[in-house]
Amino acid sequence: MFYNMCNKLPVKLVLFLIISFCLHSASIIAKSNNNLDNQTIMTLGKENITFGEIKRVYNRNYSRSGSSFELLNKDSVKSFLNTYSKLKVKVLYGNSLGYDKDSDVIEEIERNKKLLAESHLLEAEITVPAVKRYTEMRKIQKQVAVIMSHIPLTGDTTEAYQKIMSALTEINRGETFEYAARKYSTDTVTGVNSGVVPVWVTGLRLQRDLESAIYSLKVGEMTQAPIRTHFAYFLIKVLQEESRTFIGVSQILIPYKNENESFGPIIKDTADAKRLADSLVQVLSKGESFNTIAEKFSAERQTAAKGGNIGVYARSSGIFGSGENLDPIIENTLFSLKDKEISQPVETFMGYFIFKRDSTVVYDDNFEYEELKANYVRIFLKNDKEKFYDSLLIEYGFEINMPVFNNILASIDTTRTIFDKSFSEQIPNKLLNERLFSINNISYTVQNYLDTIQSNANNNLISANRSGLNGIIKSIATPIMLEEIIKNAAEKYPVFKATIDEFTDGLISIKVEQENVYNKIKFDSVRARTFYDTTTMDITVPLQYDLSEIYIMSKSKAEEVYQEIKTGKITFDSAVALHSQRQGTREKNGFYGVVNTSNYLAHQAEKNNYKTGDISEPLSFEQGFSIIRINNINPKRKMTFEEALPHISAAVQEDLVKSLKIDLEKELYKKYPIKYNESLINKTFKK
């Protein structure tokens, strides 16, 4: 098939790029200004390309990078139009040849529709609404108090439940939440602090049940029933609520003691540290640069190198990027400051900190979008997808014949896996033709089910129990459901239709390039010779040394042999035969090889400026010592054409592809001349 040709963009990559660029922006297609969107921004031959078409393509591809089509300058618009036109003229040409009806193209589209449809379904129905919900949650941060009653590792919930209910009962009789927390909470951190959680909370930072409860409460309200998690029962009260803000923070740390000048000035004791911190605050109050003081005096060298800057901080999510929360004392100090204001020294277990609140940033919907989406997909998407598919299966008439399913379970050994084929032999023959489940008016008998199971090796490790067999039933029913969804996907999800159109255009473009570029690639000796004569590629044969070697493990022995050669008592060749200890070299009269200077021995020959015929002193090499003779020196030179061919062939082919693509574009632009609507561009975009 055409898409399997070498040296071109694989269809799977086209699919990946389309999904990557289009799906994540399904929820952010800009509202259309129909009057402007319907205007022609450029023509290709007789084909009008509208402002709306270009805007949608650009915004799908680049909107998350912070840009928007309407905000581009004229040069950027022209550049994007030029890029888009190169694809579009290939599509127009391909369609004129009927490529859009080509069986290979249609087959590839159908093969990938399910993947594209499922991705859009999950994005539009689950991910986008969830991220939007969390974005709204994250506009608010709350301070809460909790009463926790831990469930023991044994799993017995009786005592934990009784304790949390006792706390709730006392509160309902008029006792304060704070008192009940101190009396009943088993959490050692919050219990002694009247239940107050030291860290403020926001969306996607807690278990879902706790998060849902907190965001359903107003300030002063508490949950009216215990919330159970896998490790504890909770009662929750909301203490404070505020809009979520981020502040830029810088710091200077003066430690209690410092005897190393590399980490700032010498500090002998805590009193010395306090005096220095106070004096620095005085200096800063007179206008000295905080960054300069931090670089010179702060013992926290990592932030000192950045003028004391530790990044952007929010109460509920910590330092942006790391999620690290500051001590509540420090946090309260920072949020009591105004922008550009510097704190008095704050005493901590590390020493005295001086803080500066650099700036305030109000939460923006796009600020954490990608992080929220990535975390949601990682933590919750799988579970939400299963629940969503369960609801869709019911919508499409999915039903398990439970009496038959239970009879199957009763007849088999549920401790086995599907890999053990004998599990199915225990199922009575009378059940084989019974309906096991149905979906969208399609029924599967027990025999159909068993045949499907055993034809798929991926099922082998699944347990033959209720959960495993039920999971396989759903894995059979779900694709049938998705087939039905695909039929209406383009109508229900406009972005899906746009994605299919772009995927189709990509396939047609590939086919046009294959026919007009890649099918024309063949070795051209004249082109290769021209490339060889003009290239700036490094096609040189490096300096090489033809060496022979006497290798001796002992240094003293090597020096003794060298002196014998030097004084003429023995020839180099005789010394090889008598003394060389490198396996296999005696038979070759010590021939080591022709090597370039990346080799240690050749490097030493170059370093010592040895000439042909020279014999070296013993050189420490590997686990012993080498005495080398320079048999010949091959100077650095340009490769011959024949030598260079293996090195330049890929570049020659790439050059040919580039040339053929340019020729193709020239021909297509002759067929479909490009013309910009300069008036519209000048009126709509800035210079």
Side-chain angles (χ1 to χ4, degrees), residues 380-396:
F380 293 128
L381 180 59
K382 182 180 179 182
N383 187 58
D384 287 357
K385 173 183 172 182
E386 290 176 1
K387 291 179 179 178
F388 178 60
Y389 276 5
D390 284 347
S391 67
L392 283 180
L393 285 169
I394 293 171
E395 185 180 326
Y396 281 86

Side-chain angles (χ1 to χ4, degrees), residues 304-334:
K306 298 183 288 185
N309 184 262
I310 66 172
V312 177
Y313 185 81
R315 288 185 188 271
S316 53
S317 52
I319 298 172
F320 187 74
S322 71
E324 181 183 353
N325 282 95
L326 300 175
D327 185 281
I329 295 175
I330 294 175
E331 187 177 274
N332 291 334
T333 298
L334 290 172

Side-chain angles (χ1 to χ4, degrees), residues 59-185:
N59 285 345
R60 277 200 299 273
N61 291 342
Y62 300 104
S63 58
R64 276 292 162 203
S65 66
S67 59
S68 176
F69 184 63
E70 293 91 333
L71 299 179
L72 296 179
N73 59 42
K74 286 191 288 187
D75 289 341
S76 297
V77 170
K78 288 280 189 73
S79 176
F80 185 72
L81 290 175
N82 183 52
T83 299
Y84 185 66
S85 70
K86 289 180 180 180
L87 167 70
K88 201 67 178 177
V89 291
K90 293 172 197 164
V91 175
L92 292 173
Y93 179 62
N95 286 342
S96 74
L97 299 177
Y99 288 177
D100 55 329
K101 299 177 179 61
D102 183 272
S103 59
D104 287 345
V105 173
I106 293 172
E107 180 183 340
E108 194 62 44
I109 293 169
E110 292 303 316
R111 184 169 24 247
N112 289 285
K113 256 187 178 181
K114 185 180 294 184
L115 174 60
L116 289 167
E118 184 174 12
S119 298
H120 275 282
L121 180 68
L122 295 176
E123 185 82 4
E125 300 291 347
I126 304 179
T127 305
V128 168
V131 176
K132 183 177 180 180
R133 185 172 67 253
Y134 280 117
T135 299
E136 288 300 310
M137 280 187 181
R138 286 222 168 181
K139 291 179 179 178
I140 300 295
Q141 55 192 10
K142 302 192 179 194
Q143 185 182 44
V144 300
V146 298
I147 301 173
M148 293 175 61
S149 183
H150 286 92
I151 297 170
L153 295 177
T154 60
D156 184 355
T157 62
T158 306
E159 184 179 346
Y161 182 73
Q162 289 174 347
K163 182 170 287 190
I164 203 75
M165 288 305 296
S166 296
L168 181 59
T169 300
E170 287 204 25
I171 294 170
N172 287 336
R173 287 175 180 170
E175 193 54 78
T176 65
F177 189 96
E178 293 72 20
Y179 172 81
R182 291 193 298 270
K183 182 177 179 180
Y184 290 104
S185 183

Side-chain angles (χ1 to χ4, degrees), residues 483-505:
E483 289 286 353
E484 286 302 305
I485 291 174
I486 289 172
K487 294 177 183 178
N488 304 311
E491 184 178 330
K492 188 172 182 181
Y493 307 110
V495 178
F496 173 67
K497 182 181 184 306
T499 301
I500 291 297
D501 290 344
E502 289 187 17
F503 183 64
T504 303
D505 286 352

Side-chain angles (χ1 to χ4, degrees), residues 76 107 165 168 300 326 364 398 477 480 535 539 608 611 671 685:
S76 297
E107 180 183 340
M165 288 305 296
L168 181 59
E300 212 299 289
L326 300 175
D364 177 82
F398 174 65
I480 298 172
T535 186
I539 50 173
N608 291 292
K611 304 293 190 296
K671 197 173 188 67
F685 300 96

Side-chain angles (χ1 to χ4, degrees), residues 158-220:
T158 306
E159 184 179 346
Y161 182 73
Q162 289 174 347
K163 182 170 287 190
I164 203 75
M165 288 305 296
S166 296
L168 181 59
T169 300
E170 287 204 25
I171 294 170
N172 287 336
R173 287 175 180 170
E175 193 54 78
T176 65
F177 189 96
E178 293 72 20
Y179 172 81
R182 291 193 298 270
K183 182 177 179 180
Y184 290 104
S185 183
T186 59
D187 181 55
T188 56
V189 175
T190 60
V192 296
N193 193 33
S194 301
V196 178
V197 177
V199 178
W200 287 56
V201 298
T202 192
L204 205 56
R205 297 277 289 182
L206 300 166
Q207 290 192 37
R208 267 189 169 172
D209 290 342
L210 301 178
E211 177 183 82
S212 298
I214 290 170
Y215 275 85
S216 70
L217 298 172
K218 296 178 181 177
V219 174

Side-chain angles (χ1 to χ4, degrees), residues 321-546:
S322 71
E324 181 183 353
N325 282 95
L326 300 175
D327 185 281
I329 295 175
I330 294 175
E331 187 177 274
N332 291 334
T333 298
L334 290 172
F335 281 91
S336 69
L337 299 174
K338 297 176 182 178
D339 286 354
K340 309 302 181 184
E341 189 176 359
I342 296 168
S343 75
Q344 292 298 312
V346 179
E347 187 174 6
T348 72
F349 72 95
M350 296 175 66
Y352 290 95
F353 277 97
I354 304 168
F355 292 103
K356 180 185 176 187
R357 175 166 168 167
D358 297 315
S359 61
T360 300
V361 181
V362 179
Y363 182 77
D364 177 82
D365 286 2
N366 291 320
F367 191 64
E368 297 173 301
Y369 184 91
E370 295 300 338
E371 179 195 354
L372 279 175
K373 182 175 179 180
N375 286 338
Y376 169 76
V377 169
R378 177 175 56 84
I379 300 169
F380 293 128
L381 180 59
K382 182 180 179 182
N383 187 58
D384 287 357
K385 173 183 172 182
E386 290 176 1
K387 291 179 179 178
F388 178 60
Y389 276 5
D390 284 347
S391 67
L392 283 180
L393 285 169
I394 293 171
E395 185 180 326
Y396 281 86
F398 174 65
E399 181 188 25
I400 297 177
N401 187 341
M402 293 309 299
V404 172
F405 186 69
N406 289 333
N407 284 336
I408 292 173
L409 288 172
S411 64
I412 64 175
D413 181 353
T414 56
T415 64
R416 297 181 179 179
T417 64
I418 303 300
F419 181 75
D420 186 352
K421 300 294 189 290
S422 63
F423 93 93
S424 61
E425 296 172 0
Q426 299 170 319
I427 299 174
N429 288 333
K430 63 181 181 180
L431 287 178
L432 297 179
N433 292 322
E434 293 287 336
R435 180 182 66 86
L436 178 57
F437 68 92
S438 55
I439 172 74
N440 200 38
N441 298 320
I442 299 173
S443 293
Y444 268 70
T445 65
V446 174
Q447 187 63 61
N448 297 149
Y449 175 64
L450 294 175
D451 291 343
T452 304
I453 284 178
Q454 294 167 355
S455 65
N456 188 347
N458 291 330
N459 294 324
N460 286 344
L461 298 180
I462 295 176
S463 298
N465 55 23
R466 180 178 293 275
S467 176
L469 297 182
N470 184 61
I472 296 176
I473 289 176
K474 288 185 179 180
S475 73
I476 297 170
T478 298
I480 298 172
M481 172 195 74
L482 289 173
E483 289 286 353
E484 286 302 305
I485 291 174
I486 289 172
K487 294 177 183 178
N488 304 311
E491 184 178 330
K492 188 172 182 181
Y493 307 110
V495 178
F496 173 67
K497 182 181 184 306
T499 301
I500 291 297
D501 290 344
E502 289 187 17
F503 183 64
T504 303
D505 286 352
L507 294 177
I508 292 171
S509 173
I510 287 173
K511 187 171 177 64
V512 168
E513 283 197 353
Q514 178 203 316
E515 297 293 339
N516 294 274
V517 176
Y518 298 106
N519 283 359
K520 294 182 178 180
I521 294 175
K522 58 183 179 180
F523 180 74
D524 184 337
S525 59
V526 175
R527 176 180 286 273
R529 171 61 75 171
T530 301
F531 186 91
Y532 169 80
D533 291 336
T534 59
T535 186
T536 58
M537 283 180 63
D538 182 9
I539 50 173
T540 57
V541 177
L543 173 67
Q544 294 178 325
Y545 287 85
D546 182 330

